[in-house]
Amino acid sequence: MVTPARGPGLRVVLLGRAGAGKSTTGNTLLGRERFQEGRATLQSVMEGGEVEGRTVTVVDTPGTNTLDKEGLREEMERALVLSSPGPQVFLLVVRVGGVTQEDVGVSRWIQETLGEQALRRTLLLVTGREKLTRRQWEEFEKQEVIRGLVRLCGGGLHAVNSKAEIHPGHVTKLLEKMEQVVEQNAGQPYTWDTYLQRRGLRGGRKGQGGGGGAEGGWRTQGGGERRGGKTGYEVEGQKQKEVEGKRNGHNVEEKRIEKEKQMRREEESRRLQEEMRREEESRKTAEKRREESRRKEEMRRREEESRRQQEEKRREEEEKRKRKEEMREEKNRKAEIKKKKAEEKQTAI
Ligand SMILES: Nc1nc2c(ncn2[C@@H]2O[C@H](COP(=O)(O)OP(=O)(O)OP(=O)(O)O)[C@@H](O)[C@H]2O)c(=O)[nH]1
Ligand SMILES: [Mg+2]
């Protein structure tokens, strides 16, 4: 049974091009086949479980090269919601022998869309390690494209063989490596808020000071002549106050509009999260139903098989019994013939 991890525990989002081995890596990590391997992952899905005493949540995503920019953004938002309160580690999965500039493109995309905060939590994971000898691996690491990727990814480089020959030690090592990434980031996940801030959808506008310096400068000039009526400075001051008043009013209005906009964006983001959560729930329910009907079908098939075997056994026994009967009859017949022949011989003598 899946135990989705919420709150504490390790939350990981798998990223990378199609066929890099994301789903396989997810299954290797969880120690069971949860994600579909060898078939394209079309939508981000979350699975979780206990791994070496830790609650681990893994979000598998579609190949980045199969989506357009908008689709990629949507899937990333889904992945963030699914890994709520946010992943502590992004695994950028690449396949040994197949690393190209496109993979660098993915890391750049992470940088641009999710920001440095995500890159700092990104561990470059190479699958298919078993295909290289130690020497070939050293050559592989030296490649410019790999070095470039490592420079971008704050979590460093790690290699696995996520196929059948996987050694349990590999999972332990990968967990340790991810733990290091978590520690480097003081255990803080990449949250939905971080994402909103990155996209400029949350937090006040930076540098909105309102040009106080110039006003301060003008005030220091006040005082001038004070002989009956309004001095030039006072008239000037009056005008300035009016301008300032207007500006303040304008600022208040601007702030109000900005606040309203922000509230609308937050509302929209809440709605999106809620929608995705609901979608995920209905996906899980449908999956449960499918699982249940698969289980029932399997039970029915087993019962059918056991009935067929019993019937077969019964037929075999019937056959055996018949054969025995025939043999006994044959024996009796032979004995009868022998007896007759002996009697005939006796009569002839
Ligand atoms: N030899 C070897 N094969 C691997 C390894 N990891 C994955 N594969 C194989 O590579 C193929 C693709 O793996 P997936 O895990 O489905 O790839 P993916 O990244 O999830 O692909 P998409 O869902 O299409 O984005 C599968 O046939 C896996 O069996 C590995 O470490 N070694
Ligand atoms: Mg996949």
Side-chain angles (χ1 to χ4, degrees):
M1 204 38 217
V2 185
T3 37
R6 295 272 167 211
L10 185 61
R11 294 175 303 279
V12 186
V13 169
L14 296 156
L15 292 174
R17 291 192 298 133
K22 299 180 291 300
S23 306
T24 315
T25 299
N27 290 336
T28 301
L29 242 175
L30 294 174
R32 65 195 78 178
E33 194 146 341
R34 286 286 177 206
F35 303 111
Q36 281 193 338
E37 289 177 24
R39 241 191 296 159
T41 306
L42 301 174
Q43 202 178 46
S44 302
V45 273
M46 182 263 284
E47 294 291 350
E50 287 289 313
V51 185
E52 300 190 1
R54 296 205 57 172
T55 312
V56 177
T57 304
V58 181
V59 177
D60 188 15
T61 60
T64 44
N65 52 332
T66 62
L67 300 163
D68 57 17
K69 257 194 172 170
E70 184 59 17
L72 203 50
R73 196 183 53 74
E74 263 174 33
E75 284 307 322
M76 211 29 42
E77 288 178 358
R78 184 187 296 279
L80 289 182
V81 171
L82 291 177
S83 58
S84 171
Q88 293 114 323
V89 180
F90 291 93
L91 282 181
L92 174 55
V93 184
V94 296
R95 189 66 168 274
V96 91
V99 188
T100 66
Q101 284 302 328
E102 263 191 64
D103 293 296
V104 182
V106 180
S107 62
R108 291 222 183 280
W109 178 85
I110 298 176
Q111 190 175 30
E112 279 159 25
T113 316
L114 304 177
E116 285 298 324
Q117 293 291 341
L119 268 190
R120 268 201 232 163
R121 294 168 171 81
T122 303
L123 172 63
L124 180 66
L125 187 80
V126 185
T127 61
R129 167 70 180 90
E130 81 284 0
K131 293 211 165 98
L132 301 187
T133 60
R134 183 187 279 265
R135 203 184 161 75
Q136 284 170 325
W137 173 253
E138 281 166 8
E139 288 301 314
F140 174 82
E141 276 184 299
K142 279 188 204 152
Q143 285 180 74
E144 193 39 51
V145 66
I146 300 298
R147 286 181 14 192
L149 275 169
V150 174
R151 273 196 297 274
L152 278 170
C153 300
L157 171 78
H158 189 66
V160 287
N161 157 24
S162 50
K163 278 310 291 171
E165 318 87 82
I166 180 86
H167 190 274
H170 288 181
V171 175
T172 314
K173 277 198 184 134
L174 177 57
L175 275 174
E176 279 170 9
K177 193 83 190 183
M178 290 198 288
E179 203 54 62
Q180 277 174 19
V181 178
V182 176
E183 273 170 32
Q184 275 166 25
N185 291 285
Q188 294 304 307
Y190 181 93
T191 62
W192 182 256
D193 264 14
T194 319
Y195 172 68
L196 288 186
Q197 268 162 22
R198 169 72 198 163
R199 301 205 61 221
L201 298 176
R202 174 157 297 174
R205 285 194 317 178
K206 281 179 195 134
Q208 210 180 19
E215 287 156 13
W218 172 80
R219 273 191 201 105
T220 56
Q221 285 170 21
E225 304 155 45
R226 287 195 181 278
R227 278 168 279 142
K230 286 184 176 170
T231 64
Y233 279 161
E234 275 168 345
V235 173
E236 184 106 342
Q238 185 62 37
K239 269 194 208 155
Q240 196 65 38
K241 266 184 195 157
E242 278 168 21
V243 172
E244 200 179 340
K246 270 188 194 162
R247 190 187 290 147
N248 281 345
H250 187 65
N251 277 352
V252 168
E253 181 62 7
E254 237 188 16
K255 272 185 191 154
R256 192 188 60 75
I257 292 171
E258 185 58 32
K259 206 168 172 187
E260 255 179 29
K261 270 191 195 163
Q262 193 177 315
M263 273 163 63
R264 267 203 300 275
R265 285 182 203 123
E266 281 178 9
E267 182 58 36
E268 173 67 10
S269 123
R270 264 197 300 277
R271 195 191 56 70
L272 182 73
Q273 289 195 50
E274 187 52 38
E275 203 175 279
M276 284 200 263
R277 217 167 264 142
R278 263 204 304 271
E279 248 183 59
E280 181 60 11
E281 252 166 38
S282 74
R283 188 189 71 79
K284 291 261 174 203
T285 315
E287 177 67 24
K288 247 189 213 162
R289 270 199 215 116
R290 271 201 298 277
E291 184 70 30
E292 181 69 10
S293 78
R294 264 202 297 270
R295 209 179 48 77
K296 277 188 184 155
E297 176 62 21
E298 178 66 17
M299 253 165 69
R300 199 195 55 70
R301 209 187 50 71
R302 277 198 200 145
E303 275 170 13
E304 180 75 17
E305 178 68 17
S306 130
R307 253 203 307 278
R308 201 188 55 71
Q309 279 175 359
Q310 275 176 8
E311 179 64 19
E312 185 112 325
K313 204 168 160 194
R314 197 193 56 73
R315 240 186 279 130
E316 268 173 20
E317 274 168 7
E318 178 72 12
E319 196 83 359
K320 233 190 222 165
R321 197 190 55 72
K322 265 192 199 159
R323 264 205 306 276
K324 253 189 191 166
E325 183 71 19
E326 277 169 12
M327 271 162 68
R328 207 180 50 241
E329 278 174 10
E330 180 71 14
K331 208 172 158 188
N332 285 347
R333 222 178 16 253
K334 277 184 185 163
E336 194 67 29
I337 291 169
K338 210 173 170 183
K339 196 175 152 197
K340 262 190 191 164
K341 275 188 184 165
E343 278 173 4
E344 278 169 11
K345 216 175 183 181
Q346 197 66 36
T347 337
I349 293 168

